[in-house]
Amino acid sequence: MTLLITGGASGIGAATAHLAASRGHKVAINYRSRDQQARKIVADIEAKGGKAVALPGDVVREADIRGLFDAAEKALGPVTHLVNSAGIGLNSSVKDFDAAALERLFAVNTIGVILCCREAARRMSTRNGGKGGVVVNVSSMAGTIGGRPGAAAYASSKAAVDSFTMGFAKELATEGIRAVSLRPGMIETEMTEKTLSDRETRSAIESTIAMGRVGQAGEIANAVVWLLSDEASFISGVTLDASGGGFVFGKR
Ligand SMILES: NC(=O)c1ccc[n+]([C@@H]2O[C@H](COP(=O)([O-])OP(=O)(O)OC[C@H]3O[C@@H](n4cnc5c(N)ncnc54)[C@H](OP(=O)(O)O)[C@@H]3O)[C@@H](O)[C@H]2O)c1
């Protein structure tokens, strides 16, 4: 089992790398700028007897994506599992939208995911001589509500992932590939650090979550690793919400 995780050096991707390695996956950790964080995760996994490799690459570059699959295969064997966790936010009101920032947002969050899925399909498909495989795309609960204020574009970049994953899964279902879109709610990671550091904002956000709290990266990793496993063998083409019971409107 070789698992490639995009954006694997921090947050949800990093938590997934640790957990998956502890369950026997060989893990290829893609990173864009976080060289040291990625190497530290590899060292931690290896210290526990696991196998891992850190692979630089930017998911907006098609050649980098191909290179990632090649390098993962060379180091650990053919990629059988893929988690698309690389993603960026965009906090902007619609009136202030900047075209270049929108292009970057969709290049990373949507097209990057789609191209990684294409690469996985080409290599995993049993019709192409592959062994089959599993893909988990990390989208967002934001996609279900148009995002919190200032996150409409981010939300739409994730909603597109949900829809794509459904079609992708149907197209590849008879070729040994399962695919699921996992929608985290608000999770405490570097992406949300600034927002959640303000106590008032945090408590306002938590008042809209049924469980009354934000989630932790490890809670998402648990769901990802289960979806990757054979225990989820009949689950494909769906979205799974990991969101503390979902959004509630107004005070709980
Ligand atoms: N935290 C939440 O509340 C939440 C909720 C719903 C969904 N999500 C989604 O969960 C995923 C993981 O986010 P996170 O919360 O774990 O935050 P995070 O720690 O910021 O993780 C995002 C990772 O993606 C990497 N990345 C960004 N652009 C990339 C690119 N072009 N190529 C390769 N890697 C790239 C980042 O590395 P660099 O900094 O080096 O670019 C970073 O390591 C994202 O897709 C996010 O949208 C998060």
Side-chain angles (χ1 to χ4, degrees), residues 10-12 32-34 58-59 85 138-139 154 158 185 187 189:
S10 67
I12 292 167
R32 189 186 64 85
S33 68
R34 300 162 185 263
D58 188 326
V59 299
S85 191
V138 182
S139 74
Y154 171 78
K158 294 295 191 176
I187 308 300
T189 66

Side-chain angles (χ1 to χ4, degrees), residues 130-203:
K131 292 179 182 168
V134 188
V135 176
V136 175
N137 292 328
V138 182
S139 74
S140 175
M141 280 296 281
T144 66
I145 59 161
R148 293 181 187 276
Y154 171 78
S156 60
S157 76
K158 294 295 191 176
V161 169
D162 288 347
S163 185
F164 169 76
T165 307
M166 228 189 300
F168 173 72
K170 285 180 185 161
E171 197 173 315
L172 277 305
T174 58
E175 299 180 43
I177 297 174
R178 291 193 295 112
V180 173
S181 200
L182 179 64
R183 297 196 287 222
M186 181 69 82
I187 308 300
E188 205 158 7
T189 66
E190 280 182 49
M191 185 175 272
T192 55
E193 201 172 31
K194 198 164 156 242
T195 308
L196 294 175
S197 65
D198 180 76
R199 284 179 72 172
E200 261 183 46
T201 308
R202 183 181 180 125
S203 93

